[in-house]
Amino acid sequence: MFQVDENYTRVSEFVIVGFPSLQPEYFDLVAWFFFFLYVTTVVGNLLLVVVFALEHSLQKPMYIIMVSLALSDTGFSTVALPKLIARYWWNDGSLGFHTCLFQEHMIHYFGSLNSLILLTMALDRYLAICFPLRYPMVMTNQTMTGLTLFCWVVAHIFSGISTINFAMMPFCGPNQIIHAFCDTMSLTPLVCGDSRQGFRAAFATAMFILYVPLAFIIFSYICIIISVLGMATRQGRMKTFSTCATQGCIISIYYIPRFFVYSTPFFPNLTMTPDKRIATTLFYSLFPPLINPFIYCLRTKEIKQIFRLVRLQIATNCILKVVSVQCTSNDLIPK
């Protein structure tokens, strides 16, 4: 498979280059941007998890999916961004060989996991809208928890195939990764010898875990649209379409750019510069985790109601404190 001298010296570490055309004077600005992006993503998603844990009224199948997605988004950002931030802040882009393989595994793991979570989300909406009477009996909290745990376990299988392939490949030449993190697309050019067979296996696995769920998602949304069009009230149709449009936007951002990035090597006329490829990858990888908690919080009635009650309680406490201070001051005034 690989025509390489058996006595080759294995690369011991890789170096994350990031954007190859970026000038050094912009490094600090880029580092601050990704730092702000990381903090906002983690805080937003963990806030959603905390609200779910504290509020028993939210412990429903739909919110279990949302919490699973929030944890997955937090995990992906934590795996991908800190080393990229260090690269531009302290010029520290080095990664040990096994650390790079671990990052590659986790990057594809969370990508596969998100695809399965979006599939579960589409299944939940399909059952809720197309079979509203059966939904409470079929989709219980126990069922959704089981599906969620299944997704978290199975996702390791698909990313593991790629990781095992790269662990057996010879890396004996350049060690600079022209990317923001270690993944299949960035590691393949660094393999010594013919890596086409290994890349095809990784590509086939990625396409399977991405587009088999996408096929079911499209099918479920077609069924949902047909069911919604049969609703009697216009208000019910608009409410359902609004919910589906939000999820459809997130799904489009997640899937469509991935197709172009992964398909570029197979279409000679479809070329992307390293900077464009990195920017596209970061867009579809980091933008959904950033906006997911805000979209679902702002468009979910129960969560908005909880935040209104929290704001009202805070305002009431502030007013009571002010009144208490004024009363104390009046008592101290000599009469």
Side-chain angles (χ1 to χ4, degrees):
M1 180 177 175
F2 304 106
Q3 299 178 354
V4 181
D5 184 359
E6 293 182 358
N7 297 321
Y8 71 91
T9 301
R10 193 181 188 91
V11 170
S12 60
E13 70 172 18
F14 294 98
V15 178
I16 301 294
V17 175
F19 295 96
S21 301
L22 186 66
Q23 299 301 315
E25 56 264 28
Y26 298 110
F27 281 11
D28 284 342
L29 179 63
V30 172
W32 276 108
F33 170 76
F34 285 120
F35 177 76
F36 175 78
L37 188 69
Y38 176 64
V39 171
T40 306
T41 300
V42 171
V43 171
N45 283 285
L46 290 184
L47 179 62
L48 185 63
V49 174
V50 170
V51 171
F52 173 82
L54 296 179
E55 187 60 42
H56 294 288
S57 64
L58 296 181
Q59 294 176 6
K60 304 174 184 178
M62 182 179 68
Y63 295 104
I64 293 175
I65 305 176
M66 292 169 60
V67 168
S68 180
L69 183 62
L71 292 174
S72 176
D73 289 341
T74 302
F76 181 90
S77 299
T78 301
V79 169
L81 284 178
K83 176 51 67 173
L84 182 61
I85 295 170
R87 158 71 182 97
Y88 287 116
W89 230 333
W90 302 293
N91 198 27
D92 178 19
S94 61
L95 281 172
F97 178 82
H98 293 97
T99 304
C100 184
L101 283 186
F102 175 76
Q103 188 187 51
E104 182 270 341
H105 175 79
M106 297 307 295
I107 288 290
H108 292 294
Y109 167 70
F110 285 116
S112 302
L113 177 59
N114 276 11
S115 184
L116 294 175
I117 290 174
L118 292 176
L119 170 62
T120 308
M121 186 179 296
L123 174 63
D124 178 76
R125 292 298 87 200
Y126 169 74
L127 292 175
I129 295 173
C130 297
F131 303 95
L133 299 179
R134 289 186 178 183
Y135 177 79
M137 295 178 290
V138 175
M139 193 58 72
T140 62
N141 285 354
Q142 290 78 10
T143 303
M144 182 55 69
T145 302
L147 284 174
T148 301
L149 292 176
F150 178 78
C151 293
W152 281 78
V153 172
V154 169
H156 275 296
I157 297 175
F158 298 96
S159 58
I161 294 173
S162 175
T163 304
I164 292 172
N165 280 334
F166 278 115
M168 297 187 297
M169 289 180 182
F171 292 89
C172 55
N175 67 339
Q176 290 190 331
I177 295 177
I178 312 299
H179 208 313
F181 40 70
C182 297
D183 71 343
T184 299
M185 299 294 293
S186 60
L187 287 175
T188 300
L190 305 183
V191 175
C192 300
D194 187 5
S195 62
R196 286 177 294 180
Q197 184 175 346
F199 178 77
R200 289 194 188 102
F203 179 82
T205 304
M207 293 299 100
F208 178 84
I209 191 60
L210 286 174
Y211 293 108
V212 169
L214 178 61
F216 177 81
I217 290 171
I218 293 174
F219 170 77
S220 66
Y221 273 85
I222 291 174
C223 294
I224 288 172
I225 291 173
I226 294 173
S227 178
V228 169
L229 291 177
M231 287 184 176
T233 63
R234 182 175 180 273
Q235 184 178 1
R237 290 197 297 268
M238 293 301 296
K239 182 179 179 181
T240 307
F241 273 130
S242 177
T243 303
C244 293
T246 301
Q247 296 181 1
C249 179
I250 297 298
I251 290 169
S252 299
I253 294 173
Y254 181 82
Y255 282 104
I256 294 176
R258 270 181 168 82
F259 173 78
F260 286 104
V261 170
Y262 277 100
S263 301
T264 299
F266 297 94
F267 296 95
N269 296 329
L270 185 62
T271 58
M272 297 181 71
T273 64
D275 288 320
K276 290 181 179 179
R277 178 169 60 84
I278 295 170
T280 304
T281 302
L282 290 177
F283 173 75
Y284 70 64
S285 299
L286 302 177
F287 186 62
L290 176 67
I291 65 174
N292 279 344
F294 299 100
I295 286 179
Y296 289 122
C297 286
L298 293 176
R299 297 186 68 87
T300 305
K301 183 178 179 180
E302 291 91 341
I303 295 180
K304 288 193 294 185
Q305 183 65 28
I306 289 171
F307 282 123
R308 288 195 194 100
L309 293 175
V310 170
R311 288 200 304 268
L312 180 61
Q313 186 175 0
I314 293 173
T316 302
N317 290 337
C318 291
I319 293 172
L320 291 176
K321 287 182 180 179
V322 171
V323 172
S324 177
V325 170
Q326 289 178 347
C327 291
T328 305
S329 301
N330 292 334
D331 291 339
L332 294 176
I333 296 175
K335 296 181 181 179

